[in-house]
């Protein structure tokens, strides 16, 4: 509980701090003027692309799961997980996704959660592919370049870890060591290790990996299209070739602790990244508000409906972190 409270308080403080810097030196009437000029004919198009992205994500996750898991099941679990991340602190949405999938399909919670972790690896790989393909010719701030370098290192470490964990002999040695200690926590960890290793061995052919990364690439391209139509809606001038790069950096940066729904962090990141491409601060803030709302509102509405339909309670979601590892 102390850990959760610390994460929650720090997340809210970071959100408030970054929201302040996002709005610093912006005149309120400037944002209102941009929003007034919005082309209402285009305003729903970003949400269409956002749901196309979510559908591709659910499709990829269903293929990672195997066992005849349907895209319908992964889509429901995905949306509920996103909803939980938007309304509850401590970012437990990923755990919730595995829990909901296990309830809908009958697979074990451990197996479901292991597929979530593997799916997130492919999400990161797709984002990095977007970055490299759409990398702008202009020079970037040193902090951005350093962050990208760190993310490449993280991806390489993840790939090496996946390769090591897919080796049955290595997995057996580690799990036997954990089982001998006979501690409940380590027994759960051993089971998780087995499940992840089995999943990786099942999908680790080169063609499968290329397929998952390609789907992830298309998924993030859809999100990029959504962001592009937000800029068109508000009349903000940004080259389309920059948009996927901006979208990728934004989503990579959302690992920063924040309040539920990434409020504050989302605005700060998008305002800062757009400023690299000469977008004025007040225009960047308006874009961040509309783009954020384009997924935040529909995800929450649909997530709440799915939560009721699946007979799940918010209280149950809050207790999941203790069941994970």
């Amino acid at each position: 509980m102390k850990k959760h409270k610390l994460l929650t308080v720090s997340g809210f403080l970071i959100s408030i701090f970054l929201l302040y810097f996002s709005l610093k030196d912006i005149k309120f009437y400037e944002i209102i003027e941009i929003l007034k000029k919005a082309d209402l004919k285009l305003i729903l198009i970003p949400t269409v692309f956002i749901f196309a992205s979510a559908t591709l994500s659910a499709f990829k996750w269903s293929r990672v799961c195997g066992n005849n898991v349907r895209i319908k099941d992964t889509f429901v679990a995905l949306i509920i997980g996103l909803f939980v991340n938007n309304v509850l602190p401590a970012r437990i949405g990923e755990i919730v996704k595995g829990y909901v999938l296990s309830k809908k399909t009958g697979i074990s919670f451990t197996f479901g959660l292991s597929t979530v972790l593997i799916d997130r690896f492919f999400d990161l790989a797709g984002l990095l592919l977007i970055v490299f393909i759409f990398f702008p010719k202009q020079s970037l701030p040193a902090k951005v370049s350093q962050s990208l370098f760190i993310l490449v290192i993280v991806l390489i470490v993840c790939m090496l870890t996946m390769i090591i964990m897919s080796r049955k002999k290595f997995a057996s040695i580690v799990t036997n060591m954990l089982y001998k200690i006979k501690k409940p926590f380590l027994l759960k960890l051993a089971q998780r290790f087995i499940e992840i290793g089995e999943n990786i061995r099942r999908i680790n052919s080169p063609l499968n990996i290329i397929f998952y990364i390609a789907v992830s690439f298309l998924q993030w391209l859809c999100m990029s299209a959504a962001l592009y139509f937000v800029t068109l809606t508000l009349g903000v001038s940004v080259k389309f070739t920059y948009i996927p790069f901006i979208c990728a950096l934004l989503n990579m940066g959302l690992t920063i602790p924040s309040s539920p729904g990434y409020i504050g962090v989302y605005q700060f990141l998008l305002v800062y990244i757009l400023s690299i491409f000469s977008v004025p601060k007040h225009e960047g803030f308006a874009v961040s508000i509309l783009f954020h709302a384009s997924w935040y509102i529909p995800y929450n509405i649909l997530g709440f409906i799915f939560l009721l339909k699946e007979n799940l309670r918010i209280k149950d979601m809050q207790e999941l972190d203790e069941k994970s590892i």
Side-chain angles (χ1 to χ4, degrees):
M1 288 299 293
K2 287 183 179 179
K3 183 186 78 171
H4 284 180
K5 285 181 180 178
L6 183 62
L7 287 172
T8 301
V9 171
S10 62
F12 274 103
L13 289 175
I14 290 170
S15 286
I16 293 167
F17 180 75
L18 294 181
L19 189 59
Y20 166 76
F21 276 99
S22 301
L23 287 166
K24 193 173 182 289
D25 301 324
I26 295 178
K27 295 179 176 62
F28 187 69
Y29 74 85
E30 293 176 325
I31 300 171
I32 297 298
E33 286 300 312
I34 292 175
L35 294 175
K36 280 183 179 178
K37 294 176 184 176
D39 187 348
L40 297 181
K41 296 191 297 292
L42 302 175
I43 203 162
L44 292 179
I45 294 178
T47 301
V48 173
F49 278 103
I50 285 164
F51 273 99
S53 177
T55 302
L56 284 168
S57 181
F59 168 71
K60 170 168 56 67
W61 185 19
S62 70
R63 294 294 295 269
V64 168
C65 291
N67 296 324
N68 299 317
V69 172
R70 299 175 301 173
I71 186 174
K72 177 183 175 183
D73 297 327
T74 51
F75 184 80
V76 169
L78 172 69
I79 297 298
I80 291 176
L82 292 169
F83 166 71
V84 167
N85 267 346
N86 287 342
V87 299
L88 292 181
R91 301 272 184 93
I92 62 169
E94 302 306 308
I95 298 171
V96 169
K97 284 163 61 176
Y99 173 73
V100 174
L101 188 66
S102 69
K103 281 184 69 73
K104 285 188 67 63
T105 62
I107 63 176
S108 72
F109 175 45
T110 302
F111 181 89
L113 193 53
S114 70
T115 64
V116 172
L117 297 174
I118 294 169
D119 183 62
R120 293 301 289 167
F121 162 77
F122 289 119
D123 279 347
L124 176 60
L127 282 172
L128 287 173
L129 186 60
I130 289 274
V131 166
F132 289 127
I133 291 176
F134 293 95
F135 200 90
K137 293 180 180 178
Q138 70 185 74
S139 60
L140 297 172
K143 289 182 180 178
V144 174
S145 300
Q146 289 166 5
S147 299
L148 287 174
F149 176 75
I150 291 169
L151 285 166
V152 170
I153 297 298
V154 169
L155 181 62
I156 291 170
V157 170
C158 287
M159 289 180 69
L160 290 173
T161 303
M162 286 183 70
I163 291 169
I164 292 169
M165 290 180 69
S166 68
R167 297 296 176 262
K168 202 166 185 177
K169 186 176 179 181
F170 176 78
S172 297
I173 292 169
V174 173
T175 51
N176 285 336
M177 286 173 60
L178 294 174
Y179 276 128
K180 285 177 182 177
I181 300 173
K182 295 182 180 180
K183 295 284 185 181
F185 170 80
L186 293 177
L187 291 175
K188 283 185 179 181
L189 185 61
Q191 184 60 35
R192 183 67 43 76
F193 200 87
I194 291 169
E195 295 280 11
I196 292 174
E198 288 176 353
N199 271 324
I200 295 171
R201 283 193 293 276
R202 181 171 50 79
I203 67 170
N204 73 349
S205 76
L207 286 178
N208 275 340
I209 291 171
I210 291 170
F211 173 76
Y212 296 134
I213 294 175
V215 175
S216 181
F217 177 80
L218 293 174
Q219 166 193 332
W220 293 117
L221 270 188
C222 284
M223 286 298 289
S224 302
L227 177 56
Y228 180 65
F229 275 100
V230 166
T231 63
L232 290 181
T233 300
L234 296 174
V236 175
S237 179
V238 186
K239 284 184 181 179
F240 176 74
T241 51
Y242 293 157
I243 293 291
F245 180 80
I246 293 167
C247 189
L249 287 190
L250 170 64
N251 282 280
M252 288 176 181
L254 291 178
T255 53
I256 298 171
S258 69
S259 63
Y262 310 102
I263 294 168
V265 172
Y266 208 85
Q267 283 65 47
F268 175 81
L269 287 171
L270 201 44
V271 168
Y272 174 73
I273 298 167
L274 285 170
S275 70
I276 297 171
F277 301 96
S278 304
V279 175
K281 196 172 182 181
H282 65 283
E283 291 186 2
F285 191 83
V287 169
S288 75
I289 293 295
L290 183 54
F291 189 41
H292 200 175
S294 294
W295 58 262
Y296 186 86
I297 295 172
Y299 280 173
N300 283 359
I301 293 171
L302 195 56
F304 183 68
I305 292 170
F306 284 160
L307 199 72
L308 294 177
K309 190 177 177 183
E310 299 299 323
N311 296 313
L312 297 170
R313 298 182 304 169
I314 293 292
K315 185 179 178 182
D316 296 332
M317 304 295 100
Q318 291 173 310
E319 295 171 354
L320 275 177
D321 198 26
E322 297 173 7
K323 299 179 183 178
S324 55
I325 289 184

